[in-house]
Amino acid sequence: MRWTRRWVLLAGGGGLATLAIPRLPGAAATEVIEMRGTPRGERVWFAPLGLAVAPGTTLHFINKDAGNSHTSTAYHPDLYDRPHRIPAGAAPWDSGFLMPGESFEVKLEQPGVYDYYCLPHEMAGMVGRIVVGRPDGAGWEEAGGDAGALPAAALAALPPVEEILAATRIDVERSR
Amino acid sequence: MPGKLIFREPFCSRRIQVGAVETIDLHAVEFIMIKQIIAIASLLAGTAALAQDAGDLGEAPPEAPYAAVSDLVELPEFLPGLGQLYVDPETLPAGPFLGYDRDGRLSATIYMPPIGDLEGGTSFDDLALGAESVSSVDIYYNAGHPGVEQPHVHVVLYHDPEAKGRLAK
Ligand SMILES: [Cu+2]
């Protein structure tokens, strides 16, 4: 049994479509990120894994995995003493355990790179990266933190910022 | 909500060892699975010697020290494929876990040995059974879930030919 991993760039995905639609002043954008898993739990992941959004976008996390519970938890010293991997001015979030069908929302204002993980599945590489705004925008902050403190599976799963910006949305597909 | 459930004892007792698991590749998983199959074969060979009274365990809820997994950690009451799970917390992470169908009938006994523990030389011997008769066994990889966060193996002993179907949904 050999599993390979390849990035699937969904150029026409929901993220791009959302950004392309002219928004009314004050209208809030919402992006959905699903927590998913295979029926027997061999694999678990966030869908999408990487996402670029405009400042002020609300992220709606929902557990679509019938046989497991998941969290969306920002990498931050205030949460379980983990590395700081969100912009300095941004507040960390922790959804708590979401049972199947449950959801959680967080609004991201501060431009920069946000890395987050699922508490029980970080070891399995269940992490995600959200890029808010663009590197040339005002107040942009690059991702920081001690990468060495992350599990290898988590580090390997995080897509490069440039790829997220280029594709807007990155989904991962692992096939045998 | 820092500290919520996931770090509740005794589930974090082997957390330190998880670091080693991160480096495994799936070839290692495959290798471990072969070792698991050998291990479970010897387990089944010992079934007769471990015969125990299934009367207490045949209907949900089983008596203490068994407790509902959904009361111990944040998991749904019924897990598709495994059913309503009960475990003696002292036996974590390997179990046995007892899987009951929606009518409360004992349908499977499940073991969840972490791959990192097996790689490190830990064996899980003389594990108890929920019932003596076993009609078939499924073995598969699981990336982790609340309760047994480390990547581990599910060894599922079905106690009758229809059990898998009743536990599916
Ligand atoms: Cu998860």
Side-chain angles (χ1 to χ4, degrees):
Chain A
M1 180 178 70
R2 184 191 181 93
W3 290 1
T4 58
R5 177 187 300 180
R6 63 190 172 92
W7 303 114
V8 180
L9 304 182
L10 299 178
L16 189 63
T18 303
L19 288 178
I21 298 169
R23 251 179 259 131
L24 295 172
T30 298
E31 294 282 357
V32 175
I33 297 180
E34 296 181 345
M35 291 119 144
R36 306 211 68 112
T38 52
R40 283 183 158 186
E42 297 96 332
R43 293 174 290 134
V44 285
W45 66 96
F46 289 103
L49 166 70
L51 184 66
V53 301
T57 300
T58 296
L59 299 170
H60 182 89
F61 291 91
I62 181 164
N63 181 4
K64 302 287 257 184
D65 185 353
N68 222 321
S69 54
H70 301 278
T71 77
S72 169
T73 306
Y75 278 111
H76 195 282
D78 288 354
L79 298 172
Y80 314 106
D81 198 23
R82 301 309 309 277
H84 195 148
R85 296 178 69 88
I86 66 173
W93 72 88
D94 182 9
S95 68
F97 283 93
L98 300 180
M99 301 290 260
E102 291 184 346
S103 60
F104 171 83
E105 286 192 345
V106 61
K107 187 174 184 177
L108 302 185
E109 307 271 11
Q110 175 73 42
V113 178
Y114 296 71
D115 289 343
Y116 64 95
Y117 61 105
C118 170
L119 263 174
H121 296 129
E122 184 193 17
M123 303 298 167
M126 186 166 178
V127 294
R129 173 170 280 174
I130 299 155
V131 182
V132 176
R134 303 201 62 90
D136 50 1
W140 169 269
E141 273 188 54
E142 205 49 76
D146 179 10
L150 263 61
L155 270 183
L158 289 170
V161 172
E162 311 78 57
E163 286 186 24
I164 297 174
L165 285 167
T168 298
R169 176 190 170 102
I170 292 181
D171 281 87
V172 65
E173 178 190 307
R174 296 178 209 190
S175 53
R176 284 168 198 232
Chain B
M1 45 204 73
K4 187 180 177 190
L5 280 160
I6 190 169
F7 298 119
R8 182 191 288 178
E9 292 290 342
F11 296 101
C12 64
S13 57
R14 290 172 191 270
R15 196 173 175 80
I16 298 307
Q17 299 185 20
V18 171
V21 180
E22 295 148 17
T23 61
I24 63 165
D25 62 24
L26 288 156
H27 291 92
V29 172
E30 180 180 39
F31 175 65
I32 289 299
M33 282 178 170
I34 291 166
K35 289 208 291 188
Q36 264 307 297
I37 290 166
I38 294 167
I40 200 60
S42 50
L43 178 80
L44 287 173
T47 297
L50 279 166
Q52 63 183 86
D53 182 7
D56 303 330
L57 306 175
E59 297 284 329
E63 294 172 0
Y66 281 97
V69 168
S70 60
D71 288 342
L72 296 171
V73 296
E74 297 264 350
L75 277 174
E77 269 181 39
F78 189 95
L79 291 166
L82 300 177
Q84 306 175 59
L85 287 184
Y86 289 80
V87 69
D88 172 0
E90 290 292 313
T91 66
L92 285 165
F97 295 76
L98 304 181
Y100 294 85
D101 67 16
R102 290 195 180 276
D103 294 326
R105 174 181 171 187
L106 179 65
S107 302
T109 299
I110 301 123
Y111 308 94
M112 305 190 183
I115 287 168
D117 290 356
L118 296 168
E119 276 185 319
T122 300
S123 65
F124 300 91
D125 302 326
D126 305 320
L127 302 177
L129 285 154
E132 290 174 37
S133 86
V134 175
S135 56
S136 66
V137 181
D138 282 6
I139 300 174
Y140 53 90
Y141 175 72
N142 185 284
H145 48 73
V148 186
E149 291 159 45
Q150 311 95 314
H152 59 274
V153 179
H154 281 185
V155 181
V156 186
L157 280 58
Y158 297 104
H159 292 307
D160 65 86
E162 287 77 41
K164 192 193 286 196
R166 295 197 308 276
L167 296 179
K169 287 178 182 173

PDB file of all heavy atoms in Angstrom, chain A residues 70 118 121 126, ligand 1:
ATOM      1  N   HIS A  70     -13.694  16.996  15.473  1.00  0.00           N
ATOM      2  CA  HIS A  70     -12.543  17.788  15.059  1.00  0.00           C
ATOM      3  C   HIS A  70     -12.597  19.160  15.717  1.00  0.00           C
ATOM      4  O   HIS A  70     -13.649  19.602  16.181  1.00  0.00           O
ATOM      5  CB  HIS A  70     -12.543  17.977  13.532  1.00  0.00           C
ATOM      6  CG  HIS A  70     -12.513  16.695  12.764  1.00  0.00           C
ATOM      7  ND1 HIS A  70     -11.360  15.990  12.518  1.00  0.00           N
ATOM      8  CD2 HIS A  70     -13.507  15.968  12.165  1.00  0.00           C
ATOM      9  CE1 HIS A  70     -11.635  14.897  11.813  1.00  0.00           C
ATOM     10  NE2 HIS A  70     -12.934  14.864  11.588  1.00  0.00           N
ATOM     11  N   CYS A 118      -6.117  20.821  13.847  1.00  0.00           N
ATOM     12  CA  CYS A 118      -7.161  20.098  14.577  1.00  0.00           C
ATOM     13  C   CYS A 118      -6.502  19.423  15.764  1.00  0.00           C
ATOM     14  O   CYS A 118      -5.547  18.654  15.601  1.00  0.00           O
ATOM     15  CB  CYS A 118      -7.834  19.071  13.661  1.00  0.00           C
ATOM     16  SG  CYS A 118      -8.929  17.940  14.543  1.00  0.00           S
ATOM     17  N   HIS A 121      -6.008  15.694  15.715  1.00  0.00           N
ATOM     18  CA  HIS A 121      -5.493  15.154  14.454  1.00  0.00           C
ATOM     19  C   HIS A 121      -4.278  15.886  13.920  1.00  0.00           C
ATOM     20  O   HIS A 121      -3.914  15.714  12.754  1.00  0.00           O
ATOM     21  CB  HIS A 121      -6.604  15.143  13.399  1.00  0.00           C
ATOM     22  CG  HIS A 121      -7.731  14.245  13.768  1.00  0.00           C
ATOM     23  ND1 HIS A 121      -9.041  14.636  13.760  1.00  0.00           N
ATOM     24  CD2 HIS A 121      -7.720  12.961  14.195  1.00  0.00           C
ATOM     25  CE1 HIS A 121      -9.798  13.632  14.163  1.00  0.00           C
ATOM     26  NE2 HIS A 121      -9.025  12.601  14.439  1.00  0.00           N
ATOM     27  N   MET A 126      -3.517  17.046  10.090  1.00  0.00           N
ATOM     28  CA  MET A 126      -4.745  17.806   9.824  1.00  0.00           C
ATOM     29  C   MET A 126      -4.516  19.261  10.243  1.00  0.00           C
ATOM     30  O   MET A 126      -4.728  19.638  11.402  1.00  0.00           O
ATOM     31  CB  MET A 126      -5.932  17.203  10.563  1.00  0.00           C
ATOM     32  CG  MET A 126      -7.252  17.876  10.214  1.00  0.00           C
ATOM     33  SD  MET A 126      -8.658  16.903  10.769  1.00  0.00           S
ATOM     34  CE  MET A 126     -10.006  17.982  10.277  1.00  0.00           C
TER      35      MET A 126
HETATM   36 CU    CU C   1      -9.578  16.437  13.128  1.00  0.00          CU
END
